Amino acid sequence: NPHTVRAALPITPSILLKIREELNFDDINSYTYWCIFLFAFYLICRKSNLVGTVDDSSKCLHRENISVFEDYLLVQFRWSKTIQFGERVLEIPIVKNLSSPLCAFSAFKAMCAKFPALASSPAFLVLSGRKTKPVSYNMLQSFLKNIVEKIGLDPTKYSSHSFRRGGATWAFQCGVSSELIQLQGDWKS
């Protein structure tokens, strides 16, 4: 059946660790992609919450939407698939865990040190030639497919949705209530 839905496989913490081992942090852009991966996983969010299209980055996450506190980040989503008219703000904390190589707090701080930006800038920037530009959907998908292949997995079975699926599954396995997962993942049903 040509209309059969092919669900992307979940990204798990063990896959994230393998990705981290494969990243080349001599390449400044690796800091950005690593941060996006951790945000997507822990925030259980859609790619459209994090990055925009090549032509429009107005709806993506911006630096001003991420508040840094001593022990956590507070991420505010003002636009999403279910928040299209600014009727509410979804706030999700990311707690600092310096004992884990999967600490999104540390990844964000490292990325910001490599890519300082105005508060009004998109949150996730990369260097392209000599210019800094926001990460787009296509750039994220391409980088993910390449790194997944490098760690020996089939890139056709993973997409940016794999982080959302994996983050929700992992949270449930850790005992997080389904109601809280639904709230954090911004699911209406």
Side-chain angles (χ1 to χ4, degrees):
N1 185 348
H3 300 290
T4 302
V5 175
R6 277 189 352 192
L9 293 177
I11 296 284
T12 63
S14 62
I15 291 173
L16 282 169
L17 288 170
K18 289 177 186 173
I19 288 172
R20 186 176 185 273
E21 288 174 14
E22 191 60 43
L23 286 172
N24 174 11
F25 286 102
D26 290 336
D27 174 1
I28 192 171
N29 293 336
S30 289
Y31 288 90
T32 296
Y33 287 108
W34 180 237
C35 190
I36 293 173
F37 291 172
L38 293 177
F39 269 49
F41 181 79
Y42 288 118
L43 296 172
I44 312 174
C45 60
R46 298 170 181 90
K47 69 181 175 190
S48 61
N49 292 115
L50 299 175
V51 298
T53 63
V54 172
D55 300 326
D56 181 15
S57 63
S58 65
K59 294 177 182 172
C60 71
L61 191 64
H62 287 76
R63 294 279 173 101
E64 64 196 353
N65 303 124
I66 305 167
S67 300
V68 180
F69 297 94
E70 185 176 337
D71 294 328
Y72 67 99
L73 303 173
L74 186 62
V75 181
Q76 295 182 329
F77 294 112
R78 298 182 176 282
W79 183 92
S80 76
K81 181 180 175 183
T82 61
I83 309 171
Q84 295 191 9
F85 305 105
E87 61 273 19
R88 62 187 171 90
V89 175
L90 177 63
E91 292 184 328
I92 305 172
I94 295 179
V95 178
K96 178 170 42 174
N97 181 3
L98 299 179
S99 65
S100 172
L102 302 179
C103 178
F105 182 96
S106 298
F108 180 72
K109 297 283 279 187
M111 180 195 69
C112 289
K114 296 292 180 181
F115 288 101
L118 298 173
S120 60
S121 296
F124 303 107
L125 303 169
V126 290
L127 196 59
S128 178
R130 292 190 163 171
K131 291 186 175 184
T132 301
K133 66 182 193 176
V135 175
S136 68
Y137 295 159
N138 293 340
M139 293 163 65
L140 176 59
Q141 281 296 104
S142 178
F143 191 90
L144 176 61
K145 298 284 184 188
N146 287 334
I147 199 75
V148 163
E149 188 171 32
K150 283 183 179 181
I151 64 170
L153 299 175
D154 181 351
T156 65
K157 297 188 189 255
Y158 294 89
S159 71
S160 58
H161 189 74
S162 296
F163 295 104
R164 184 168 164 81
R165 186 169 180 205
T169 301
W170 183 70
F172 186 75
Q173 290 169 345
C174 290
V176 176
S177 73
S178 53
E179 291 81 14
L180 186 55
I181 294 169
Q182 180 181 351
L183 176 68
Q184 184 165 329
D186 200 27
W187 279 285
K188 286 290 186 186
S189 59

